[in-house]
Amino acid sequence: MPLLLSPLQHSPIPTEIRGITPDRLAGLSLPEIERLPVLHGNRSLPLAELFDVAGSAQDLHLELHGDLSCVHWVGAGMTGGRIHVEGSVGRHAGSGMSGGLLEIAGSADGWAGAEMRGGLLRIKGSAGPLAGGAYRGATKGMTGGNLLIHGDAGSETGLVMRRGLIAIGGSCGDFPAFNMLAGALFVFGSCGRRPAAGMRRGTLAMLGHAPSNPPLPTFRYAATLQPTALRLVLTRLEQLQFPFNHDLYHACVEMYRGDLVAGGKGELLKIPDAAFPQ
C-alpha cells in the first residue's frame, strides 16, 4: 500500500511540503513521517497537523488526494520513486527533480519542473508560467528529463532551457523557449508572442492546428522538409503515451535558423501557413 496524504481541510494559507518525497521517506516509520516539519504560512508544523497520513513509504510510492491548489513544492527535488497527485497543485511542482515519476491528474501553478534535471513530470491539466524554466537570476533552466503538459502552459515556458524535452498538448503563452541554450520544446497548439527570442541552440517546434505568432525578424528561413529528428521525438512522445496528431509523422515543416542576435544556431520548426484553412 502506498503512502497516502490527504489534507485535513482546505486552507488558503500556502503550505510548503518541500522534502516530502518517496526517496526521502522510504526509511522512515509512519510516526516519524507524521512528525516531519512542513511550512504553513510562516509557521512550521508537523505534517500530521495538516494531512491525514496512512500507509507506508517503503515501496517508494506516494499519493496525494484532495484540494492541493495551495500546496507548493510537491515532488521538488525528488530523485526516485513515484508520486501520483489526484487533483491540482500549487507552485514549484517537480522543480529540481532528477529522477522518478511525478504525475498530476489536474493542473499545476507556476514553475512546474523548473530547473529539473531528470525524471518524468506529467501534468494532465495545464501549467502556469515558467514551466521547465529558470528561477530569476539563474543561468540555466531545465537540464534534463521529460516535462509533459497535456493542456496549456503559461508564459516563458522553457526559459534558458539547457537540455531535456518539454511537450505541450495545448497552447503556450508569450516567450516560449526564451534564451534557450539547448533542448527541445514541442507545442501542439498555438504559441504566444516572440517565440524562441534569444535562442542560442535547441529546437522549438510549433506544430499547432492553427497559426501561431510568426518567427521574429531575426530568424531566417532555411528550408521546408520532413526532419528525421522530428519523427524521432514524436516516437519518443508516443512511447510516453503523450497524445498528438499522428499525421505529424508525415508533415512537412518550415525550418528557420536563429536567433541571429544570439549566434543563429537554434532551429524553429513550424507548420506552413498554407496548411491552415482560410
Side-chain angles (χ1 to χ4, degrees):
M1 178 181 178
L3 183 70
L4 175 61
L5 303 182
S6 303
L8 294 175
Q9 61 182 3
H10 172 69
S11 171
I13 300 173
T15 300
E16 299 184 2
I17 61 170
R18 192 201 300 250
I20 306 298
T21 59
D23 47 308
R24 298 180 184 178
L25 303 182
L28 302 179
S29 66
L30 194 60
E32 289 174 323
I33 294 173
E34 291 177 329
R35 292 193 295 269
L36 289 173
V38 295
L39 196 61
H40 184 61
N42 60 0
R43 301 172 60 203
S44 179
L45 299 174
L47 182 67
E49 286 197 23
L50 300 172
F51 293 85
D52 178 65
V53 185
S56 168
Q58 300 307 311
D59 62 354
L60 296 176
H61 185 184
L62 171 61
E63 295 208 3
L64 294 93
H65 292 187
D67 187 348
L68 302 159
S69 56
C70 289
V71 178
H72 308 299
W73 301 97
V74 173
M78 67 184 293
T79 62
R82 177 186 176 189
I83 300 178
H84 175 78
V85 181
E86 195 59 44
S88 297
V89 298
R91 297 182 295 274
H92 312 292
S95 66
M97 66 183 290
S98 59
L101 169 63
L102 171 56
E103 294 181 306
I104 300 171
S107 296
D109 209 335
W111 289 283
E115 300 184 12
M116 69 182 291
R117 305 188 300 276
L120 171 60
L121 169 53
R122 185 189 302 274
I123 301 171
K124 291 291 187 70
S126 297
L130 290 152
Y135 288 109
R136 298 308 186 194
T139 58
K140 290 184 290 188
M142 182 175 174
T143 57
N146 299 285
L147 171 55
L148 308 180
I149 302 168
H150 290 227
D152 299 329
S155 60
E156 296 186 82
T157 298
L159 172 70
V160 204
M161 183 179 180
R162 181 64 180 86
R163 290 189 185 90
L165 170 63
I166 302 175
I168 302 171
S171 299
C172 68
D174 297 337
F175 295 101
F178 184 59
N179 283 352
M180 174 184 271
L181 302 172
L185 170 55
F186 275 50
V187 183
F188 294 91
S190 60
C191 280
R193 296 174 297 174
R194 299 176 178 85
M199 168 188 279
R200 300 182 196 176
R201 295 180 184 269
T203 301
L204 170 61
M206 304 192 299
L207 305 174
H209 57 275
S212 293
N213 280 273
L216 291 168
T218 48
F219 281 76
R220 292 291 180 263
Y221 171 78
T224 298
L225 69 169
Q226 292 180 310
T228 300
L230 173 61
R231 294 195 292 272
L232 291 174
V233 175
L234 292 177
T235 299
R236 175 60 176 157
L237 290 174
E238 187 174 4
Q239 293 170 345
L240 293 171
Q241 300 180 343
F242 186 83
F244 61 89
N245 184 351
H246 285 198
D247 290 343
L248 290 170
Y249 275 117
H250 311 290
C252 288
V253 297
E254 295 175 346
M255 176 184 289
Y256 294 80
R257 291 292 187 182
D259 189 334
L260 297 178
V261 299
K265 295 183 179 180
E267 61 182 24
L268 188 154
L269 307 177
K270 67 183 291 290
I271 299 295
D273 291 339
F276 302 118
Q278 299 299 317

